[in-house]
């Protein structure tokens, strides 16, 4: 059976050292892997698009030490909130700001404090931005519609566009939106889409890019507006299960290039500059959530309780997402167990009915693929505190890059005083 070594890998020695030095649970990240992912991504696209501009989707992981590494690897930022704009301001990076249903104050903050290009989700936002001060360069997020295909997989992957998606300007209204933007003084135009998440199929990127470029051609025909840059969004998948293949980024870049060649030749378009904004591909397999077994229970099923909970990493509880789990012990037997946290919610289960090495209280548990959309999605339900983050530097040194939250942090701002 095929086993993806990348999915099952974790840095044994560093996990042991960190678990010896620091209280569990915690997130542990690898600088080496983060840099490697950034380089692979850049290289794959730069081969076909020499002026390719990669952005990192800050929502996937906003730890400033990790962002510093990503910036050092030549990435700009893709931001989606005022706090992320604040980071873009501090880091003085280029990139884009993609909000949806945005407050005027957030646009003001972006325009006044950052170098990011605004990417507007709706025509109505044009007026708000004009009132603040229309920038010379502007991008619009387009909803390119649902995919028409006999392939169920391709249709399913276009999960963030079509009639049910809250994102983007319907593509049929794109020309009107660009005309209006032009009449409001915009000089340089971009276009953006984000149609799917965790896509492992290389062909998908050919179809989505082709669709967006065709829209670019229609806009030019209808309005004369020339789109200078095109952002294909994020969504580049990573394998979560050991049996899943990694996405072939070279094939993705080749497919995107094929779409450019075909559509640009057909409509006599000057190829726009290519942008992409991956989050998961860059960060997911750079991090692990490390905890310990607190107790085991023989109920109707066997439950293994650990000291991390779904508030630390909600993906399994929200999406029923699979995350690979390793138990650090020398057990010779295996058991079918459910690995659970201590929140009063029955979806607080990291794994259900999974065959794992038999374990006991104190054993170290490693949850894989927790570098992206993991800590970032965490919360405080049940008044659980958020845990610390550590980084394995290239030198092998392990640094604390975020302190564990305290009870004082949790109640800061309330009227709880003097107790
Ligand atoms: C607008 C936008 N760009 C980029 C991303 C990053 O997606 P991913 O981490 O799947 O690459 C997201 C994720 O939700 C997004 O909403």
């Amino acid at each position: 059976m095929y086993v993806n070594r990348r999915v099952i890998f974790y840095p044994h020695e560093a996990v042991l050292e960190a678990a010896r030095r620091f209280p569990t649970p915690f997130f542990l990240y690898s600088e080496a892997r983060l840099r490697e992912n950034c380089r692979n991504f850049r290289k794959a696209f730069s081969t076909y698009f020499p002026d390719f501009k990669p952005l990192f989707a800050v929502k996937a992981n906003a730890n400033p030490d990790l962002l510093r590494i990503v910036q050092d690897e030549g990435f700009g930022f893709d931001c989606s909130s005022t706090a992320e704009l604040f980071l873009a301001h501090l880091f003085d990076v280029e990139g884009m700001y993609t909000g949806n249903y945005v407050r005027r104050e957030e646009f003001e903050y972006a325009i006044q404090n950052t170098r990011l290009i605004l990417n507007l989700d709706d025509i109505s936002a044009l007026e708000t931005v004009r009132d603040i001060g229309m920038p010379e360069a502007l991008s619009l997020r387009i909803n390119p519609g649902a995919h028409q295909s006999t392939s169920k997989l391709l249709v399913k992957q276009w999960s963030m566009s079509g009639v049910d998606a809250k994102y983007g300007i319907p593509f049929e209204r794109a020309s009107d939106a660009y005309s209006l933007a032009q009449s409001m003084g915009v000089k340089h135009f971009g276009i953006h889409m984000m149609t799917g998440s965790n896509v492992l199929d290389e062909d998908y990127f050919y179809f989505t890019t082709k669709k967006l470029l065709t829209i670019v051609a229609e806009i030019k025909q209808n309005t004369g507006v020339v789109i200078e840059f095109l952002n294909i969004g994020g969504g580049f998948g990573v394998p979560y299960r050991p049996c899943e293949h990694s996405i072939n980024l070279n094939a993705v870049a080749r497919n995107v290039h094929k779409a450019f060649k075909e559509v640009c030749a057909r409509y006599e378009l000057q190829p726009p500059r290519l942008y992409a904004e991956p989050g998961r591909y860059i960060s997911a397999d750079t991090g692990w959530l490390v905890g310990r077994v607190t107790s085991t229970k023989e109920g109707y099923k066997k439950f293994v309780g650990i000291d991390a909970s779904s508030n630390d990493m909600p993906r399994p509880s929200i999406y029923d997402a699979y995350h690979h789990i390793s138990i650090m012990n020398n057990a010779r037997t295996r058991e079918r167990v459910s690995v659970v946290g201590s929140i009063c919610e029955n979806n607080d289960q990291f794994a259900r009915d999974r065959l794992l090495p038999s374990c006991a209280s104190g054993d170290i548990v490693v949850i894989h693929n927790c570098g992206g959309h993991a800590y970032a999605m965490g919360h405080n339900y049940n008044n659980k505190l958020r845990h610390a983050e550590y980084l394995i530097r290239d030198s092998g040194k392990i640094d604390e890059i975020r302190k564990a939250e305290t009870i004082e942090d949790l109640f800061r701002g309330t009227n709880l005083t003097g107790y």
Side-chain angles (χ1 to χ4, degrees), residues 41 55-60 78-80 98-100 119 141 160 167 192-194 196-199 231-237 276-283 319 372-373:
F41 195 87
L55 311 178
F56 176 65
V58 174
K59 64 171 75 65
D78 152 43
C79 295
S80 62
T98 299
N100 53 89
N119 182 36
R141 179 173 184 166
M160 292 158 77
Y167 309 107
H192 170 278
M193 67 174 168
M194 168 84 197
S197 182
N198 200 35
V199 177
N231 187 335
I232 56 172
F236 306 86
E277 50 189 33
R280 190 185 314 271
Y281 182 87
I282 300 301
S283 59
Y319 307 124
H373 305 291

